[in-house]
Structure formats: structure tokens, C-alpha cells
Amino acid sequence: MSQQNVHIHLIAGGIAGTTGAILTCPLEVLKTRLQSSTATFHRPVYLPTLNPSGSIAQLCTCTNPRPANMGILMCLRHIIDTEGPAALFKGLGPNLVGVAPSRAIYFCAYDTAKKFFNNRLTPESKKVHMFSAMCAGFCASTCTNPIWVVKTRLQLDQRKIGKNLGATQCIRTIYQKDGIRGFYRGVTASYAGISETVIHFVIYEHLKKTLRERRRVQIGSEKSGRDFFEYMLCGACSKSCASIMAYPHEVVRTRLREEGTKYRSFFQTLLTVAREEGPRALYRGLATQLVRQIPNTAIMMSTYELVVYLLTVEVPYISTR
């Protein structure tokens, strides 16, 4: 892979990831809190009681510690009412800092690995896509895990804006309590989550190849608006399937990144959550994840394909062709 192609995929992956992160940040915050054991939502429950005059009055609110009983819109409204609208974008700073290099590393590693395996295995086969996705996921998870630990801590902070935990203070606290190891909490769950990226890209590449063959479109030919719309659908469909199949690792990862929790390792956390809260707890926040992933992945994949196309076709002097 030439240096120019590396730069193209770095730029495309960075732009794609940043765009998706900004537009879907509120749902990311909500999903993280639903997965957590520390962040709760409080649903007002009005009970009919008799006032001194004998008529029925509406009274008192009680705390409901089960966030699954609240809908997505109600949870978002709760965050706005208790912490302010800006709370929907908590953790956006580290997210923007991390998403560009994370996606850039991922897409660049994926493209590099795919070319490597294409020369040694059956070109464009499912094995090539699977091994390439595994390599890309491992590289991205290892390099950027400290950023995601900070992002998760900020998203779980339920104080109002102005009194909330800052990124610098969060980094200092993690280092003082756990040292460098604290920034790699949840990395084992991220490695387990590579299965999600493998499933995602295998399905995505298969759908894209099927559409290309059906329309008899060859790689490198001129693309139309319909092509990018189809990439969005392929990305959304493949990511949704992958998310449902591999979702428990996300709950485990969030629990491991919580501050001062009883969770220590991947399998210990998996078994503890299932035993204490039931198997359904491993799918907390799944609905929010699917609602978020569909637009996020569609935006990310179509943006990535568009940027790569523009940099290789519209600006031919940087192309290797």
C-alpha cells in the first residue's frame, strides 16, 4: 500500500468517524448510562392519596432504579431536566479526540490487512474480510482505549454542567488511583468486541459485492448518488446485525470502566451481571444502541466511501492509478 493511499484512508476514516460521533452523541451518552450499574434514571410516579378534605390528590414521586422502564425520549428529557441540554454532549471532547484517530487507524489497518491477505488467500473472500477486520479492531482498540475510558467516566458523571467532572481532572483521578493500568480498563472487552467488527465488515462487504455484481458496477467506475445511498443501507444493516449478536461485550466494557466498581475482568463481569441482574441485563441499552448505530454507521460508511472516492477520482494527481 503506497503512502498516498495510506493518507487517503486515514483522512477518510477520520472524517467519517468525526461526523458520525457529533451527530449521534446524545444517544451515545444515553446508551452508556443505560449499560452502567451506577447511573440511574428517576421516573416520577404519582400515587392517589386522600388529602385532609377527603378528595383525591396527586402526590409524591418515587425513584425507579430500572432504566429499562423508561423510554429513550423520556430518558433524554430526564437528562435535560436534571443536568441541562449540554449534558447530552458530555464526553464529546474525548470522543472527538479519539474517534478520528480510532476510525483512521481502523480503516487504514483494514485496507492494509485486506491487501496483505488478498495476496495470500482467495481475493475478496470472507476469510480475507474476517482476518482484516480482526487486525483492524485489535490495532484500534489497543491504541485508543485510554481515550474511551475517559469518555465513559465523563458520560457517567451526572452532575450539572459547571460542576461536572472535567477531562483533565478525570485523567488525573484515574492516574492517581490506578496508574497507567487504569487507562486500559475494559480493553479485554474491547478485544472481545472485535467479533462485532468482524461480523459487521463480513456482512458489509458481502452486501456491497452483491449490489455491485447485480448492477454490474466495477471497482473504480464512476459512482452515482444511488451508490452512496446503497452504501448507507449496507452499513446500517450490517452494523445492526453485528450489534445484536455481540452486544453483551459493550455492557461488560462499560461496567469495567466505571469508577471504583466490583468488576475486575471480562468473564467475571459477564457472570456477575448475569447472576445478580439476570441475562436481560446484558442487553441493557440495546434499543438505544440500535437507534444510534443505524444513523451513525450509515453516515460513517457513506462518508468514508465518498471521501475515498473524491480523493482518488476528483484529485487524480494524488492517486496511484
Side-chain angles (χ1 to χ4, degrees):
M1 187 177 185
S2 69
Q3 186 175 5
Q4 290 175 336
N5 266 345
V6 170
H7 292 160
I8 288 173
H9 289 281
L10 282 171
I11 294 171
I15 294 176
T18 301
T19 303
I22 294 174
L23 296 179
T24 61
C25 186
L27 291 174
E28 169 73 14
V29 173
L30 176 57
K31 181 205 70 171
T32 301
R33 293 191 180 188
L34 288 172
Q35 293 172 341
S36 171
S37 65
T38 60
T40 58
F41 292 95
H42 307 290
R43 181 164 64 101
V45 178
Y46 297 96
L47 304 176
T49 60
L50 291 176
N51 62 20
S53 64
S55 61
I56 295 179
Q58 299 291 332
L59 280 183
C60 100
T61 61
C62 68
T63 297
N64 181 0
R66 295 183 63 82
N69 290 339
M70 297 176 65
I72 294 175
L73 293 179
M74 188 180 295
C75 290
L76 292 173
R77 183 179 299 176
H78 172 79
I79 295 175
I80 294 174
D81 292 341
T82 57
E83 303 172 50
L88 295 176
F89 293 90
K90 282 185 175 180
L92 180 59
N95 209 2
L96 293 180
V97 170
V99 73
S102 174
R103 295 304 181 185
I105 292 170
Y106 188 94
F107 281 116
C108 183
Y110 179 79
D111 191 75
T112 303
K114 189 165 71 169
K115 293 193 175 190
F116 174 83
F117 289 117
N118 273 337
N119 293 328
R120 290 159 178 80
L121 301 174
T122 304
E124 299 299 327
S125 63
K126 291 183 179 180
K127 286 185 178 180
V128 169
H129 298 152
M130 182 177 65
F131 292 146
S132 300
M134 290 175 64
C135 293
F138 182 84
C139 292
S141 298
T142 303
C143 294
T144 60
N145 194 77
I147 301 174
W148 306 135
V149 172
V150 175
K151 182 204 72 172
T152 300
R153 294 286 180 90
L154 293 177
Q155 290 178 338
L156 294 178
D157 180 37
Q158 294 182 280
R159 287 170 285 188
K160 291 185 177 181
I161 300 298
K163 300 180 181 179
N164 59 316
L165 184 67
T168 304
Q169 180 184 354
C170 181
I171 293 172
R172 187 183 300 114
T173 300
I174 294 173
Y175 183 76
Q176 289 175 348
K177 290 186 176 181
D178 301 316
I180 298 297
R181 291 183 59 185
F183 293 101
Y184 283 89
R185 294 184 65 171
V187 71
T188 52
S190 294
Y191 291 153
I194 292 176
S195 61
E196 178 180 335
T197 61
V198 170
I199 296 169
H200 164 47
F201 265 95
V202 168
I203 297 176
Y204 176 72
E205 293 283 0
H206 175 72
L207 292 176
K208 193 169 69 170
K209 182 180 179 181
T210 301
L211 288 173
R212 186 182 296 122
E213 290 177 350
R214 180 173 297 179
R215 298 182 59 193
R216 297 181 180 179
V217 177
Q218 298 179 348
I219 298 175
S221 63
E222 184 178 356
K223 290 183 171 63
S224 64
R226 180 177 174 179
D227 290 285
F228 295 110
F229 178 73
E230 289 176 346
Y231 289 148
M232 291 177 67
L233 292 180
C234 290
C237 179
S238 60
K239 189 62 176 180
S240 297
C241 294
S243 295
I244 294 173
M245 296 175 68
Y247 186 77
H249 91 273
E250 292 216 18
V251 175
V252 173
R253 185 173 59 193
T254 298
R255 299 293 179 97
L256 287 171
R257 289 173 177 172
E258 293 175 349
E259 183 176 3
T261 64
K262 57 189 175 184
Y263 306 112
R264 299 183 301 274
S265 64
F266 178 80
F267 288 107
Q268 182 265 343
T269 302
L270 189 71
L271 295 175
T272 299
V273 173
R275 183 177 65 253
E276 295 183 352
E277 304 173 44
R280 292 183 62 182
L282 294 173
Y283 288 89
R284 279 187 179 178
L286 176 60
T288 306
Q289 171 75 338
L290 293 178
V291 171
R292 170 187 169 271
Q293 283 291 2
I294 291 174
N296 181 65
T297 305
I299 292 168
M300 186 179 67
M301 299 305 294
S302 59
T303 302
Y304 171 74
E305 299 282 359
L306 176 61
V307 173
V308 170
Y309 172 70
L310 291 176
L311 291 179
T312 56
V313 175
E314 298 297 329
V315 191
Y317 63 84
I318 66 171
S319 175
T320 57
R321 285 182 283 178

